[in-house]
């Protein structure tokens, strides 16, 4: 307990008076890991909320048919709601489906509905099937009077057409990695797929950020996994790690991120510091 209090104090000091610089141009990040249960959606919505709460303009695109990002950000996503499905299948303009997050200024959401589960089948015969999301996003951003600073694309834990669209639409890949035994399972395959997409469809795509999640400071295993990840991804891995936190898990059931649910919780503090790291890196690009 004393160690946790001390760790929280360090995070609070880092945030005291901290500024979150805006990037010179819109940064589009796909949050991806083909392994489920690593905190992918949690990471996408909490980083987005942390950046937006500091005055940056943020869009979250929910490309997972489960719609968990839409739930956490408290935007409607029942069947029939205008959604990412309409953008992909019917080429509906993105500005006709996005909704403002009611709890966080500066944050907008393109929701996902269960209809999205059928999009891969409906698009399979289309020549431009891999470019639908990129084209929709580029057209949307080009019409904005004020620049969006960040776009986070939350995609399903698979390497299907929805994830492919996310990779083609983004320049950066953010990979949450759980600090447990199977942390690196499937990562080599994910990296291989990113390489193939970069060669064939999107030469700008690269892994820019790795965030260690569900970290248990008390165990040797968490420390060992963190060391292993940092060994292979020294420049990409954020210094900040996200601890295990009941509050992080509770927040979506109230239609919130942990940033609004309990801003001083250790998980919220960690996501806010991680967001600060990402913002600082944006000024280096």
């Amino acid at each position: 307990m004393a160690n946790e209090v001390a760790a929280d104090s360090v995070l609070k000091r880092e945030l005291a008076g901290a500024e979150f610089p805006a990037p010179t141009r819109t940064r589009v990040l796909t949050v991806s890991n083909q392994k489920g249960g690593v905190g992918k959606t949690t990471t996408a919505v909490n980083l987005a909320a942390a950046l937006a709460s500091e005055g940056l303009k943020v869009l979250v695109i929910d490309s997972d048919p489960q719609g968990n990002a839409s739930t956490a950000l408290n935007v409607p996503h029942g069947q029939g709601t205008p959604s990412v499905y309409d953008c992909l299948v019917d080429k509906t303009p993105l500005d006709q489906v996005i909704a403002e997050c009611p709890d966080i200024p500066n944050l907008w959401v393109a929701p996902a509905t269960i209809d999205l589960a059928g999009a891969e089948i409906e698009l399979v015969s289309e020549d431009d099937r891999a470019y639908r999301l990129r084209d929709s996003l580029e057209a949307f951003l080009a019409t904005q009077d004020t620049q969006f600073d960040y776009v986070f694309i939350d995609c399903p834990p698979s390497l299907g057409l929805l994830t492919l669209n996310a990779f083609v639409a983004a320049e950066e890949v953010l990979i949450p990695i759980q600090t447990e035994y199977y942390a690196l399972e499937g990562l080599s395959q994910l990296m291989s797929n990113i390489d193939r997409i970069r060669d064939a469809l999107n030469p700008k795509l690269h892994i820019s950020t790795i965030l260690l999640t569900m970290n248990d400071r008390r165990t040797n295993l968490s420390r060992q996994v963190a060391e292993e990840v940092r060994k292979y991804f020294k420049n990409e891995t954020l210094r900040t790690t996200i601890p295990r936190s009941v509050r992080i898990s509770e927040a979506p059931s109230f239609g919130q991120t942990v940033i609004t649910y309990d801003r001083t919780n250790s998980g919220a503090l960690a996501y806010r510091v991680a967001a600060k790291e990402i913002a600082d890196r944006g000024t280096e690009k």
Side-chain angles (χ1 to χ4, degrees):
M1 183 66 178
N3 289 339
E4 293 177 5
V5 172
D8 288 356
S9 296
V10 171
L11 297 176
K12 288 177 181 177
R13 284 197 297 272
E14 288 195 45
L15 291 167
E19 294 184 1
F20 286 59
T24 55
R25 60 188 181 89
T26 304
R27 293 178 64 187
V28 183
L29 299 93
T30 288
V31 184
S32 180
N33 191 323
Q34 69 183 74
K35 187 177 184 300
V38 299
K40 178 180 58 61
T41 297
T42 299
T43 291
V45 299
N46 281 293
L47 289 176
L51 291 164
S53 67
E54 296 294 336
L56 298 172
K57 191 174 181 182
V58 184
L59 170 65
V60 172
I61 298 177
D62 189 352
S63 287
D64 188 339
Q66 296 181 81
N68 290 335
S70 304
T71 297
L73 295 172
N74 197 24
V75 298
H77 61 103
Q79 193 166 16
T81 302
S83 69
V84 173
Y85 169 86
D86 300 285
C87 297
L88 294 178
V89 175
D90 298 326
K91 296 187 177 182
T92 300
L94 191 58
D95 61 3
Q96 294 184 23
V97 309
I98 66 169
E100 289 188 65
C101 175
D103 306 312
I104 305 170
N106 308 311
L107 181 56
W108 283 260
V109 185
T113 64
I114 193 62
D115 296 328
L116 199 55
E120 296 197 10
I121 297 173
E122 295 184 56
L123 291 174
V124 70
S125 62
E126 301 294 333
D127 292 338
D128 65 343
R129 59 187 176 274
Y131 299 95
R132 292 287 181 99
L133 184 58
R134 184 202 66 181
D135 293 348
S136 181
L137 179 59
E138 287 184 350
F140 170 73
L141 293 175
T143 64
Q144 299 305 297
D145 293 331
T146 58
Q147 172 186 288
F148 271 85
D149 295 304
Y150 289 89
V151 178
F152 290 93
I153 308 174
D154 183 41
C155 43
S158 67
L159 296 172
L161 188 55
L162 295 176
T163 299
L164 178 62
N165 263 267
F167 282 150
V168 172
E171 287 192 18
E172 302 181 48
V173 181
L174 189 161
I175 305 176
I177 297 181
Q178 185 179 2
T179 56
E180 292 195 353
Y181 182 72
Y182 293 112
L184 302 178
E185 185 183 69
L187 186 57
S188 60
Q189 185 181 353
L190 176 60
M191 293 175 63
S192 176
N193 277 278
I194 290 171
D195 287 341
R196 283 198 289 267
I197 293 166
R198 181 168 53 239
D199 292 341
L201 300 169
N202 182 4
K204 295 181 180 180
L205 187 68
H206 65 283
I207 298 172
S208 68
T209 311
I210 290 177
L211 178 61
L212 298 168
T213 63
M214 303 183 190
N215 185 47
D216 189 340
R217 303 184 185 101
R218 301 167 299 178
T219 67
N220 289 329
L221 178 60
S222 283
R223 287 192 292 272
Q224 290 167 359
V225 170
E227 288 171 4
E228 191 76 4
V229 173
R230 294 185 195 282
K231 176 182 175 182
Y232 290 102
F233 301 98
K234 179 180 178 181
N235 296 325
E236 294 83 1
T237 307
L238 295 182
R239 173 176 46 82
T240 309
T241 61
I242 309 302
R244 284 193 172 277
S245 167
V246 173
R247 299 301 245 181
I248 292 177
S249 302
E250 285 178 349
S253 65
F254 293 91
Q256 296 186 57
T257 66
V258 74
I259 305 299
T260 54
Y261 182 62
D262 187 353
R263 189 173 177 80
T264 60
N265 169 260
S266 59
L269 292 171
Y271 269 119
R272 289 167 60 198
V273 173
K276 175 70 167 60
E277 278 194 73
I278 289 172
D280 287 340
R281 289 183 174 196
T283 63
E284 301 168 1
K285 295 184 178 299

